[in-house]
Amino acid sequence: DARVTQTPRHKVTEMGQEVTMRCQPILGHNTVFWYRQTMMQGLELLAYFRNRAPLDDSGMPKDRFSAEMPDATLATLKIQPSEPRDSAVYFCASGLVRDTVPYEQYFGPGTRLTVT
Amino acid sequence: AQTVTQSQPEMSVQEAETVTLSCTYDTSESNYYLFWYKQPPSRQMILVIRQEAYKQQNATENRFSVNFQKAAKSFSLKISDSQLGDTAMYFCAFMKQANAGGTSYGKLTFGQGTILTVHP
């Protein structure tokens, strides 16, 4: 049963600290997405990668957020320095995109981040 | 840019009854896909149903069906024979079809969600 995994599931940290969230996409998927979910903003796309190359990170605050895919099995989202307004649930999703064929995005269980 | 609107923040239904969740969207695209995702209290996002805009026939998946009105840009979800396990937040989402560059394909734009509670 292939699934997207995310670590950690929960993270509590103090303002100013660095936070790194990790995602392992489903093997064989070529596209990885990072979403953030808050009560006020709902689900927002932060960044996404195709074949490990960043395609769009326009939804991400560039001054403190960074996203990378060091290899096909790992995507990371880093916040440095973290702020209380970053408190949210961060989801990773992966999918296999082929031409115009519609596909499903498979979501991980999310990382609940609390910044105090 | 695309927008997706879910006008019902909360809905409730009795077990075994039928409920319809509303979704409208705004786009200038002619080819796209629409989705309903379910997020139960566990937070896991689960795909419920998918509709290709070029298909006139409404998609169905067991107890879940959609009413897709392309001209009206409306995409409602009907849940028949509601079960307690259907209690969740439901998100409507839009995805553009691949363009020549392909870079924007695959992005989901979500509505704000509708919390559905099924009562015994």
Side-chain angles (χ1 to χ4, degrees):
Chain A
D1 184 23
R3 60 183 66 189
V4 176
T5 58
Q6 288 185 249
T7 56
R9 294 292 308 275
H10 304 271
K11 177 72 175 179
V12 179
T13 190
E14 292 183 348
M15 183 173 62
Q17 296 297 304
E18 178 179 298
V19 175
T20 298
M21 290 169 271
R22 294 177 175 80
C23 167
Q24 182 172 14
I26 292 173
L27 189 65
H29 282 185
N30 61 359
T31 308
V32 174
F33 302 82
W34 283 104
Y35 293 93
R36 177 171 62 184
Q37 185 177 29
T38 61
M39 288 292 294
M40 293 301 295
Q41 301 297 327
L43 273 160
E44 305 171 277
L45 178 67
L46 296 175
Y48 79 109
F49 297 79
R50 179 81 40 82
N51 297 318
R52 295 177 54 203
L55 284 190
D56 187 347
D57 61 1
S58 59
M60 203 164 65
K62 302 291 191 306
D63 56 338
R64 299 183 299 108
F65 284 62
S66 62
E68 295 179 348
M69 275 202 79
D71 62 60
T73 64
L74 176 65
T76 62
L77 180 66
K78 188 176 296 185
I79 308 174
Q80 168 63 21
S82 58
E83 297 181 359
R85 59 179 167 152
D86 300 329
S87 297
V89 179
Y90 291 81
F91 287 100
C92 174
S94 73
L96 178 59
V97 177
R98 292 171 293 184
D99 297 324
T100 61
V101 176
Y103 74 103
E104 177 180 351
Q105 287 189 23
Y106 293 81
F107 282 75
T111 294
R112 181 179 289 280
L113 173 66
T114 303
V115 183
T116 60
Chain B
Q2 287 68 231
T3 59
V4 178
T5 303
Q6 294 177 250
S7 59
Q8 304 152 316
E10 294 187 45
M11 296 276 288
S12 64
V13 64
Q14 293 295 126
E15 199 173 7
E17 300 282 303
T18 295
V19 65
T20 299
L21 308 184
S22 301
C23 172
T24 58
Y25 57 94
D26 189 23
T27 184
S28 58
E29 303 287 332
S30 56
N31 296 314
Y32 49 87
Y33 310 109
L34 296 164
F35 303 82
W36 279 98
Y37 278 85
K38 167 185 176 181
Q39 187 179 38
S42 67
R43 288 204 317 256
Q44 181 70 52
M45 293 285 286
I46 303 164
L47 178 66
V48 174
I49 201 164
R50 178 181 69 205
Q51 174 80 42
E52 287 89 340
Y54 63 85
K55 290 187 177 179
Q56 292 186 336
Q57 187 173 8
N58 289 324
T60 63
E61 285 288 343
N62 301 313
R63 298 183 294 107
F64 298 88
S65 61
V66 299
N67 183 3
F68 173 48
Q69 301 289 328
K70 191 172 184 179
K73 296 180 181 175
S74 169
F75 183 60
S76 61
L77 175 69
K78 186 171 82 170
I79 306 174
S80 304
D81 186 25
S82 297
Q83 300 175 359
L84 296 178
D86 296 333
T87 292
M89 178 169 278
Y90 287 80
F91 292 95
C92 179
F94 173 100
M95 180 192 294
K96 289 167 58 174
Q97 191 169 337
N99 57 16
T103 57
S104 64
Y105 179 53
K107 293 171 62 173
L108 280 171
T109 301
F110 287 93
Q112 287 296 97
T114 296
I115 298 173
L116 175 67
T117 303
V118 180
H119 297 285

